[in-house]
Each structure stands twice: as structure tokens, then as C-alpha cells.
Amino acid sequence: MKNIDEKILMAEEEIKQLQNKRKKLISQQKQEERKKRDRRLYEKGGVFESIFTESKDFTKDEFYQLITFQNIKEAVNQKILKIIAKREENENQNIETQEEVAGIGE
């Protein structure tokens, strides 16, 4: 009976260690995702400021006024949709090309 109790205690300790390891890995994953997001935001903000140099001193509210200006918003959204469609078209062409190359090798 003592042997089984010891095994149970060891198993419980192992479970705790694995749970802690899991928590640590999840935390690490979240931190990496935050870093990627921060980098993306810094890069895009930098591009915006490099194009609209006069906007550097805008407050948060002024920036939102500019970015949500209806005419600009509609034009930008249309351009975004065109870029996405072109990207998808290029990806489809790449897939077709890869399939053709794979078919030639057979």
C-alpha cells in the first residue's frame, strides 16, 4: 500500500510540473505574439508617419479623425480589397505553377 501511495504522490508531482511547464509555454507563446504585434504596429505607424510627416504631432483623437474620415476610409478599404484579390490571384498562379512542375517530373 505504501508503494502505491508513493507512486500516486510522484504522479501528482509530475502533473504539477507538467502543468507549470504548460503555463510557462503558453506565457512564452503569448509574449512572442505580443512582440510580433508590437513590431507590426511600429512598422505600420512608421510608414504612416513617413508618408504623412505633418501627422507626427497629432493626438490620438486627431489621428482617429483622420483615419476614419469617410472618403479616405472608403478609398483605403477599396485599395485593400484590390491588394488582397491580387495577392490571392498570385498565390493561385503559384500553386498552378507548382502543380505543373510536379506533373512534369512524373
Side-chain angles (χ1 to χ4, degrees):
M1 192 66 146
K2 198 175 193 182
N3 192 18
I4 294 175
D5 288 339
E6 288 176 6
K7 286 182 179 181
I8 291 172
L9 288 174
M10 288 174 55
E12 288 174 350
E13 183 62 32
E14 189 175 343
I15 289 170
K16 286 180 187 177
Q17 289 175 355
L18 289 172
Q19 287 173 336
N20 287 336
K21 185 176 182 178
R22 180 180 182 274
K23 287 179 187 177
K24 186 176 179 180
L25 290 171
I26 289 172
S27 175
Q28 184 180 355
Q29 183 181 35
K30 286 181 181 179
Q31 185 178 12
E32 288 175 10
E33 289 170 0
R34 274 194 305 271
K35 284 182 181 180
K36 286 180 185 178
R37 179 181 180 274
D38 288 349
R39 180 177 176 91
R40 186 181 73 246
L41 293 175
Y42 290 141
E43 287 174 354
K44 289 182 180 182
V47 168
F48 183 89
E49 282 190 356
S50 71
I51 295 170
F52 303 102
T53 55
E54 292 80 15
S55 71
K56 288 182 182 178
D57 296 325
F58 272 18
T59 65
K60 183 178 177 181
D61 289 337
E62 292 168 336
F63 177 77
Y64 278 111
Q65 287 176 23
L66 172 66
I67 214 69
T68 58
F69 183 66
Q70 197 58 38
N71 293 339
I72 292 175
K73 187 176 178 182
E74 289 174 13
V76 169
N77 279 329
Q78 289 299 316
K79 184 63 175 175
I80 288 170
L81 292 174
K82 287 179 183 177
I83 290 170
I84 290 170
K86 185 167 179 114
R87 179 193 305 159
E88 289 173 355
E89 182 182 314
N90 288 338
E91 288 173 357
N92 289 337
Q93 287 176 350
N94 289 340
I95 290 170
E96 290 173 6
T97 303
Q98 290 173 354
E99 289 173 352
E100 288 174 7
V101 170
I104 293 172
E106 292 178 12

